[in-house]
Amino acid sequence: MNKLFHIVTYGCQMNVHESEKIAGILSGLGYESCDDMESADIVVFNTCCIRENAENHAYGNIGMLKKLKAANKNMIIAVGGCLPQQMNKAENLHEKFPYVDIIFGTHNLSKLRDYIIEKQTRKKPIIRIDEREGEICENEKPLRTSYPNAWVNIMYGCNNFCSYCIVPYVRGRERSRKSENIIAEVRQLVSEGYREITLLGQNVNSYGNGTDDITFPELLSKICEIDGKFRIRFMTSHPKDFSEELAKAMSQSDKICHLLHLPVQSGSDRILRAMNRRYTSSDYLRKVDILKKYIPDCEITTDLIVGFPGETEEDFNATLDLVKRVDFSSAFTFVYSRREGTKAATMPDQIPEDVSKRRIMQLVDLVNAQTRAHSAKFVGKTTEILCEDYDEKRGLYLGRNEYGRMGYFKSECDERGNFVNLKINQANGVSLFGDKV
């Protein structure tokens, strides 16, 4: 009988890609993926602690496995990622869920294979949380699950220490991969038929800082020299480090999508200082102007936080004003989430829940209106999408254009992995509907 594994992933695309790496490790040990925890011989939780609800969700799902573990003592349960990397959280996890077999931190992922083998020969739980970042492991072979898209880490960690963010404490300082290894990985992916490559880092703009390697704009240019038809995306791009050189590099190749995710977080200079973002609203708007100078049709998406400690109505209105001026293509909007261990968690004037709720609803209404307007601009035009999947319920194929809009269409043949031109006849929110041309 085959050994089965199931991975539960929380958080962002970086975690999704890390789960692919975990799947690669498990596959190398002879396990095969399954769709449910009940059938699995090993269950791995790849956790996130950026927001409190993700952490609580993980706790809830880990708790649900108590009965499964009691019924199947040979099942291995592992909990990794950002949650156990936080101070004292690994010990708390062990106390609350003593049936968890392996607890490992963000700096220990590459050693998961050894932990599983060790666990098979011992009864006691294995808890491994390294405080210091290890060397970047270049021989990991992820089991990719997102064809025709592929994620490629170019760096790890963060040096920015935004006052609300736990990432530098659980991911460590910035470490960049060597450009030759990144380029070789992308070249291999393109040769295997992947058609969209997303470069990942907490702050891709600072790639190469402190090393003898190339800059991020230079890395993009070198990747664009790879033969073949494919797209390049990247995230996340910190506004303080966004440069004219990057805008130039983006404009010089049609392989780089005309879409930039540039998180502003707030439109208030006072709140930006409290967040330790190290730019002003005017700085941000200047960066937007530079981008539009080189790529007039470039769409911009962003992250926005409301209810940060001390945020006044004037501060919130400054955010609304900035959103109106930039006219974002879409935005991820959040109510401030208090994270133990960050500077913002100790700040006075925490905003009442009812005030934050009112503000987030007002902001969402504005962002949604902008999103609908941007989608409507595609109606009557032809846009190229990369077909990613087939929606069984709708009976339609789907894929994104370079601006991030999801397009739906009918086809008599399987178009997954193909670039398809669509004549758009309807727009609904972030979705477009059209016919092949």
Side-chain angles (χ1 to χ4, degrees), residues 41 64-77 98-101 119:
D41 297 286
M64 289 170 58
L65 282 187
K66 183 176 182 179
K67 290 183 178 179
L68 281 179
K69 180 69 172 180
N72 180 9
K73 304 251 183 231
N74 292 324
M75 171 188 276
I76 295 176
I77 302 172
Y99 49 87
V100 170
D101 300 287
K119 180 58 193 173

Side-chain angles (χ1 to χ4, degrees), residues 268 270-271 308-318 351 359:
S268 163
R270 192 179 70 84
I271 295 299
F308 188 81
E311 183 187 63
T312 64
E313 286 299 313
E314 183 179 1
D315 295 321
F316 174 63
N317 286 331
I351 304 301
R359 290 175 182 170

Side-chain angles (χ1 to χ4, degrees), residues 84-334:
Q85 189 69 45
Q86 296 176 85
M87 186 177 295
N88 300 323
K89 285 298 178 75
E91 293 80 2
N92 293 341
L93 276 166
H94 176 56
E95 291 176 6
K96 190 169 185 177
F97 309 107
Y99 49 87
V100 170
D101 300 287
I102 302 170
I103 299 174
F104 63 101
T106 56
H107 307 319
N108 303 80
L109 187 150
S110 62
K111 300 175 184 176
L112 178 59
R113 179 182 184 276
D114 298 334
Y115 303 153
I116 293 171
I117 293 173
E118 181 182 351
K119 180 58 193 173
Q120 291 170 342
T121 61
R122 61 176 284 179
K123 292 183 178 180
K124 290 184 178 180
I126 296 170
I127 302 175
R128 300 286 189 272
I129 310 293
D130 289 345
E131 296 299 325
R132 296 187 58 139
E133 308 92 347
E135 293 184 3
I136 293 174
C137 183
E138 289 289 358
N139 58 6
E140 296 170 348
K141 293 184 178 179
L143 185 63
R144 298 186 184 273
T145 58
S146 53
Y147 177 84
N149 305 314
W151 318 105
V152 175
N153 282 108
I154 66 170
M155 59 188 299
Y156 300 87
C158 183
N159 291 351
N160 289 309
F161 288 92
C162 299
S163 63
Y164 54 83
C165 185
I166 197 71
V167 167
Y169 304 98
V170 297
R171 291 286 179 179
R173 302 295 76 75
E174 289 178 357
R175 295 97 68 206
S176 295
R177 293 178 64 195
K178 291 182 179 180
S179 60
E180 60 191 69
N181 293 329
I182 297 168
I183 294 166
E185 182 177 353
V186 174
R187 182 178 288 110
Q188 180 64 32
L189 288 167
V190 172
S191 72
E192 292 173 358
Y194 287 90
R195 293 294 172 254
E196 184 169 296
I197 312 297
T198 301
L199 307 178
L200 298 176
Q202 295 295 340
N203 178 14
V204 292
N205 294 343
S206 61
Y207 169 80
N209 285 1
T211 73
D212 295 328
D213 216 330
I214 60 179
T215 65
F216 182 56
E218 290 170 336
L219 176 66
L220 283 177
S221 297
K222 286 184 175 294
I223 291 175
C224 289
E225 294 173 0
I226 296 172
D227 291 336
K229 181 175 174 58
F230 64 98
R231 290 178 181 165
I232 302 169
R233 301 186 192 272
F234 55 86
M235 63 187 311
T236 296
S237 197
H238 197 296
K240 75 177 177 63
D241 298 314
F242 181 83
S243 64
E244 188 165 3
E245 289 72 23
L246 178 54
K248 285 181 183 178
M250 291 177 65
S251 70
Q252 289 169 352
S253 174
D254 58 7
K255 291 179 178 177
I256 302 175
C257 292
H258 287 188
L259 173 68
L260 178 69
H261 187 65
L262 196 64
V264 66
Q265 307 300 1
S266 174
S268 163
D269 290 345
R270 192 179 70 84
I271 295 299
L272 288 172
R273 283 194 301 273
M275 289 178 168
N276 193 34
R277 292 293 287 176
R278 287 181 279 176
Y279 56 82
T280 65
S281 58
S282 296
D283 293 333
Y284 186 90
L285 292 170
R286 279 194 295 271
K287 302 293 177 80
V288 170
D289 288 341
I290 290 172
L291 180 67
K292 293 292 188 178
K293 170 186 171 184
Y294 287 95
I295 314 173
D297 69 326
C298 192
E299 298 275 22
I300 303 172
T301 61
T302 197
D303 295 342
L304 297 160
I305 297 173
V306 303
F308 188 81
E311 183 187 63
T312 64
E313 286 299 313
E314 183 179 1
D315 295 321
F316 174 63
N317 286 331
T319 296
L320 296 178
D321 290 342
L322 184 140
V323 171
K324 292 172 184 175
R325 289 187 63 180
V326 176
D327 187 22
F328 293 107
S329 172
S330 64
F332 298 101
T333 56
F334 306 95

